[in-house]
């Protein structure tokens, strides 16, 4: 009787689907399997099944196999993404500057530029210029629109990723509810939109040499005009129920109890730690700065008031981050954004608060490190956002099936 029960349980248990070509390409991109034999070991597929999937990916133009000499002189094929089989476009939209790039399918930048804008510009004013400049960059790299596989766009604040529009942003108030895809339809490629801190977290992917090669649980802090965070747990970006995970800037803190925030409320972290607040404070000290980048430059040159403000910003941010460390127990806090250019000064304050207020266990092995790609973190993340979609398992399987 027990044997019959076990038999019935075995035949009724759901069978795991065999790894698809999309699954195989994901393993190759991650570096976990870069030969046919490695694919077989990792996936459990037979040699014939591996050959079928490799051939399908090659026919779709997504995979190349390099002949190399293995130990013993027997040729072994190294599998790698055909990164020049297309391009993705990237646009990291900020308050006063937008960073643009054309990248290969491997995330390598082929061309990049910055586009300055007036604070508060409406999408109707800025996005046509973004499209024009991306078209110029595409032409400069020798590619036509038919080569564009996808477009990644980041904007500050909470984003409705399904609609490709801002939900709420104190910085970009005129962007709320405006879909961005129509502005870029000339490229004939899907457009993916996300929050700026989230895409910065995506820039740390292992396949572009980021911190996620070392850590699987990361809290990325974007310290710039505004303050935000990208949350990565077990290697996956966590956006939250409404996409509002990581909106640290408007957490209420005691130090800002009587201060007005640009969102209209009082007591927000940004009112004492955001770049815009530091700019106001420096002006009160008689420095005619126009952007937090100017404050950071002064701090890096040793100007006492600027150094003090940047360190205090780190201290205030650290108070909020400490709660996040206790809640999520990340392996690393990665610091990006404009204030990361004064990393030592900002992080001195941040560490002071985190290690004082986080639990001893949660902070015991915690590392605080700089974002991998420096000032290009946002645009690299936008490219990663597009690539995660156009080279995702479902998209690759659909392309293979259509071919």
């Amino acid at each position: 009787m027990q044997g019959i029960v076990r038999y019935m349980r075995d035949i009724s248990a759901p069978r795991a689907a065999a790894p698809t070509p999309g699954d195989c390409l994901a393993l190759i991109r991650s570096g976990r399997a870069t030969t046919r034999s490695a694919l077989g070991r990792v996936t459990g597929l037979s040699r014939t099944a591996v050959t079928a999937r490799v051939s399908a990916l090659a026919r779709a133009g997504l995979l190349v196999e390099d002949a190399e000499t293995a130990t013993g002189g027997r040729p072994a094929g190294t599998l790698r993404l055909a990164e020049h089989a297309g391009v993705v476009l990237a646009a990291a939209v900020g308050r006063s500057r937008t960073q643009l790039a054309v990248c290969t399918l491997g995330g390598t930048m082929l061309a990049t530029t910055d586009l300055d804008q007036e604070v508060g510009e409406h999408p109707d004013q800025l996005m046509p210029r973004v499209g024009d400049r991306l078209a110029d960059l595409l032409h400069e790299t020798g590619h036509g629109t038919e080569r564009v596989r996808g477009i990644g766009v980041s904007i500050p604040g909470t984003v409705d990723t399904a609609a490709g529009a801002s939900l709420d942003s104190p910085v970009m108030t005129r962007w709320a509810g405006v879909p961005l895809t129509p502005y870029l339809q000339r490229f004939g490629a899907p457009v993916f939109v996300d929050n700026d801190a989230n895409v910065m977290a995506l820039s740390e992917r292992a396949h572009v040499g980021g911190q996620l090669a070392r850590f699987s649980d990361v809290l990325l802090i974007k310290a710039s005009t505004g303050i935000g965070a990208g949350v990565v747990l077990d290697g996956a970006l966590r956006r939250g129920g409404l996409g509002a995970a990581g909106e640290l800037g408007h957490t209420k803190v005691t130090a800002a109890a009587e201060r007005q925030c640009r969102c209209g409320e009082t007591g927000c972290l940004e009112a004492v730690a955001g770049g815009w607040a530091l700019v106001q404070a420096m002006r009160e000290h008689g420095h005619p700065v126009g952007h937090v980048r100017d404050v950071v430059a002064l701090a890096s040159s040793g100007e006492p008031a600027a150094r003090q403000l940047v360190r205090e910003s780190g201290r205030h941010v650290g108070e909020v981050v400490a709660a996040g460390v206790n809640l999520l127990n990340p392996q690393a806090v990665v610091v990006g954004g404009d204030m990361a250019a004064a990393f030592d000064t900002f992080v001195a304050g941040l560490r002071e608060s985190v290690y004082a207020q986080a639990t001893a266990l949660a902070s015991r092995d915690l590392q605080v490190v700089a974002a991998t790609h420096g000032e290009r973190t946002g645009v690299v993340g936008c490219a990663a956002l597009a690539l995660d979609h156009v080279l995702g398992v479902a998209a690759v399987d659909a392309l293979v099936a259509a071919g």
Side-chain angles (χ1 to χ4, degrees):
M1 183 68 180
Q2 289 180 341
I4 294 175
V5 170
R6 280 198 303 270
Y7 173 74
M8 294 301 294
R9 186 187 302 123
D10 289 343
I11 65 172
S12 63
R15 301 287 182 179
T20 66
D23 292 318
C24 291
L25 187 64
L27 290 169
I28 292 165
R29 288 181 67 212
S30 71
R32 290 182 59 199
T34 56
T35 64
R36 294 186 185 218
S37 60
L39 269 179
R41 286 195 303 272
V42 173
T43 62
L45 292 170
S46 68
R47 183 178 300 180
T48 300
V50 167
T51 296
R53 283 154 179 75
V54 167
S55 298
L57 290 168
R59 286 194 302 272
L62 294 174
L63 191 67
V64 293
E65 187 169 14
D66 298 324
E68 294 184 352
T69 301
T71 302
R74 186 176 180 180
T78 299
L79 304 172
R80 59 181 175 83
L81 173 72
E83 68 169 310
H84 295 289
V87 297
V88 293
L89 307 181
V93 179
R95 174 175 172 265
S96 60
R97 179 180 65 170
T98 295
Q99 296 177 302
L100 306 172
V102 178
C103 301
T104 70
L105 297 186
T108 302
M109 283 192 192
L110 300 175
T112 183
T113 192
D114 293 349
L115 184 65
D116 292 327
Q117 71 234 32
E118 294 296 326
V119 175
E121 281 192 19
H122 189 275
D124 285 347
Q125 298 169 292
L126 178 60
M127 290 305 296
R129 293 169 52 214
V130 168
D132 289 343
R133 195 67 191 97
L134 284 172
D136 291 341
L137 287 180
L138 192 62
H139 178 72
E140 290 171 16
T141 62
H143 294 292
T145 55
E146 75 283 353
R147 300 276 291 170
V148 180
R149 297 292 188 95
I151 305 170
V153 180
S154 70
I155 53 178
T158 307
V159 173
D160 182 341
T161 56
S166 171
L167 268 179
D168 175 55
S169 172
V171 186
M172 318 283 278
T173 55
R174 302 173 69 193
W175 291 57
V178 181
L180 302 184
T181 296
Y183 296 104
L184 301 172
Q185 61 186 2
R186 71 173 85 176
F187 298 104
V191 178
F192 309 100
V193 185
D194 208 335
N195 162 266
D196 52 1
N198 283 345
V199 302
M200 290 174 72
L202 292 178
S203 77
E204 298 297 337
R205 290 282 202 228
H207 70 268
V208 289
Q211 300 290 356
L212 291 175
R214 302 166 56 200
F215 310 109
S216 58
D217 300 291
V218 163
L219 188 60
L220 182 139
I221 304 302
K222 183 218 171 199
S224 194
T225 298
I227 307 293
V231 180
V232 177
L233 299 177
D234 197 21
L237 179 66
R238 308 298 181 180
R239 295 180 172 87
L242 292 175
E247 286 294 318
L248 300 186
H250 302 285
T251 302
K252 299 300 185 282
V253 295
T254 303
E258 302 300 324
R259 300 204 184 189
Q260 182 84 22
C261 181
R262 58 182 176 169
C263 71
E265 297 189 20
T266 57
C268 298
L269 173 64
E270 277 195 11
V272 289
W276 61 270
L278 272 60
V279 167
Q280 289 181 355
M282 284 298 289
R283 288 173 177 171
E284 292 170 5
H285 282 89
H287 294 277
V289 294
H291 194 275
V292 66
R293 290 188 293 273
D294 302 328
V295 180
V296 168
L298 286 170
S300 298
S301 70
E303 204 286 323
R307 284 178 60 84
Q308 180 65 22
L309 283 170
V310 170
R311 181 165 181 147
E312 282 296 319
S313 173
R315 186 176 292 116
H316 294 309
V317 171
E319 292 175 7
V320 177
V321 169
V325 168
N326 288 342
L327 181 66
L328 303 173
N329 187 207
Q331 296 164 294
V333 171
V334 179
V335 178
D338 289 321
M339 279 189 263
F343 181 82
D344 290 342
T345 304
F346 180 82
V347 168
L350 184 140
R351 283 195 176 107
E352 181 181 328
S353 293
V354 168
Y355 289 114
Q357 299 185 32
T359 65
L361 182 60
S363 61
R364 185 180 68 189
D365 298 323
L366 181 71
Q367 296 192 43
V368 181
V369 296
T372 302
H373 300 285
E375 67 175 10
R376 291 296 169 191
T377 295
V379 75
V380 171
C382 288
L385 172 66
L387 291 169
D388 278 359
H389 286 277
V390 302
L391 294 180
V393 172
V396 170
D397 287 341
L399 182 62
V400 167

